[in-house]
Amino acid sequence: MNRIGKYLLQFALLPFVFCLPVQQSRGQVKISASANKSIVLQDEFIKLQFTVENAEEVQQFVPPSFKGCKIVEGPLHTTGTSAVNGVVNSYVTFMYVIQPEAPGNYALSGGSAKINNRRFIFNTIRFKVKESKHNNNRYNFQNHSYDDVLDQQLYSDYIIRKGEDIQNKIRQNLFIKVDVSKDHCYEGEPVIATYKLYTRLRSESKVSKRPSFNGFSVYDIVDPSSAPSTIETLNGKNFNVYLIRKAQLFPLQPGILELDPAEVENSISFVSAETAMKDKGEHLPELLRSFESDNVTHEGIVTENVNIKSNALPVTVKALPAFARPHSFDGAVGNFSIEATINKNEIALNDAALLRVIIKGEGNFGVINAPLVHWPKDIEAYEPDIKENVLKNVAPMRGYKTFAFTVMPKRTGIIAIPPVEFSYFDPQANQYKTAKTDAVIINAVAVAKKNFSGAGTAVAAFETTKTGTGRLWMIAAAALLVLFGFFLFRYIRFPGNAPVLISANNSKQKMVPVHREEEPAPQAGFLSNPLFQARLMLIQQNGQGFYSELGKALWNYMNEKLQLTGTYTHKKDIEQRMKARGFDDIIITQFQLLIQQCEVALYTPVINEAEMQSVYDLAEDLLDSISKT
């Protein structure tokens, strides 16, 4: 399941595709235009940024009129996300580097973008241009026309002056930043911790110590080795940002728990000022280009080795309330529901049924154990088979946990399995809650009275004389014959329009033509078994075919359930219609997660068979829940 987050992140960062994940676009759409300077000299460069935040789709970008200015570079495009106090914001930025052609007051207006099918207008960028005085006290690139100059200040960070405090320069331009979604929480309530390296320097960095999280259950959300670098702006400066670790933490005990620091070893290179300004800086642009691409000689290079680490960060964990704690509470924190189903309500005395208790929702699934079932004395039950289908790369974790109990009746008659309780603490409501299943009713019958479809008296007599093992073999053989017959009927085609039948009454096996009736047109409405084709792909271990068929089956089933005309493939439209029909949030979320997993798996080179089976079971449970709504 971890690969879901990996592939979604890769798709979200594809160049020039501005479709941002719906789950992350929770804030209001914001646009802004800015310049890095308000007063500049005539021969200086100005960097302009046009930023769109929290957009589902940026369909078109139109820059303002650059009248009176020369475009040195652009447009450059970057995308990324930021998280502050658990709120995830996504952004798209278009950047230009321009040079004014004459002194005066400038107002660049008319920039716009088409966002989510609406046209938005950027604010006007104003700046003043003064006549150049040709001051050469700074590192002056203005007299050199080359395309690689994006930010003059960045290049000055590459240069170390004589007598300059190198350690202070490093501290200002290379550091580790730690963000947490919350610093106060309940025991068992998830906290997202993100460690990132920010740098504006030419350095080789290696993580020497990853943060440890004593006192927490830890689930990594993103694999740092597969996460691309991003660009973020802090205090007006652009930094290259590299992910060190991003994890979902579930505190296991109350108190003040400390998130250990991350440590990074860095080898940082600078160009000495003497080398940079050699020949009055005539070759400075070429030198800096070579320096960035690591093609510069060691002459004039100053190297500094520095170990940096983040600050330890305390998280205050509150104990769960001791009052009003339900008897069935076992440590679950989040928002959950529970249901119980049985695969057959009529069971022969020496037969067995499967009772499934399913816990759905979001929260700390890792601590959820099998709920206590008060079995009637007339039922024999066995230890459950536990199956977990949880997305661990979202916060909080969401999904299902299924406990499948094998049960056998000990007497004939009606037997009731009482409701199963599951208690959890809801940190949003700050209270304990208890969910219950309905009672499960079983009708236990004698073996002779068990109704076997299409069997007759002989089969009933056979059941009374054979052992349970023989019965299972016979049922399995019959199922195989039915399946084999179906495949013959479905897939084998005789040539021509006149198939033949071998006559059993003719000793010479005479071939008799048989009239072939046309196959009836498919009936309107969805198939009685919507997942049949997906099941076939699962049996054949065809991963790509399985996820393709499963995705189509889920869309078709939902289209028919909602009585939609045509084929709807927009998740937001389906979500709104499901809410209008009264589907609960858990069903809507699970439908979205399954569709999302099918889409991602189509681009996954390695298919896990066990995961395919788990996804199929999840889809079966989902359709069963939808059918009852």
Side-chain angles (χ1 to χ4, degrees), residues 347-349 351-352 378-380 407-411 415 442 444:
I347 314 173
L349 269 184
D351 202 355
D378 299 317
I379 287 286
E380 183 176 356
V407 296
M408 297 181 67
K410 296 180 180 178
R411 64 164 178 84
I415 304 174
I442 295 174

Side-chain angles (χ1 to χ4, degrees), residues 166-178 195-201 203-211 239-240 242 244 260-268 270 304-312:
I166 193 170
Q167 292 296 326
N168 183 57
K169 193 180 188 78
I170 291 173
R171 279 193 299 270
Q172 291 180 354
N173 295 284
L174 179 70
F175 52 87
I176 300 172
K177 191 169 180 285
V178 186
Y195 290 70
K196 293 188 282 190
L197 175 68
Y198 288 72
T199 179
R200 289 171 52 85
L201 303 177
S203 64
E204 293 182 3
S205 302
K206 183 180 71 173
V207 178
S208 57
K209 181 183 177 183
R210 298 180 74 210
F239 285 82
N240 292 318
Y242 301 89
I244 297 174
D260 288 343
E263 297 184 14
V264 178
E265 298 176 356
N266 306 274
S267 178
I268 306 164
F270 297 95
E304 188 79 8
N305 295 318
V306 175
N307 291 341
I308 62 172
K309 68 177 183 178
S310 62
N311 296 324

Side-chain angles (χ1 to χ4, degrees), residues 598-626:
C598 289
E599 292 171 351
V600 172
L602 290 176
Y603 298 93
T604 305
V606 179
I607 300 294
N608 185 295
E609 295 172 13
E611 187 169 307
M612 286 167 56
Q613 180 63 56
S614 185
V615 170
Y616 180 84
D617 292 341
L618 191 63
E620 271 194 332
D621 293 338
L622 175 65
L623 264 57
D624 182 61
S625 298
I626 292 175

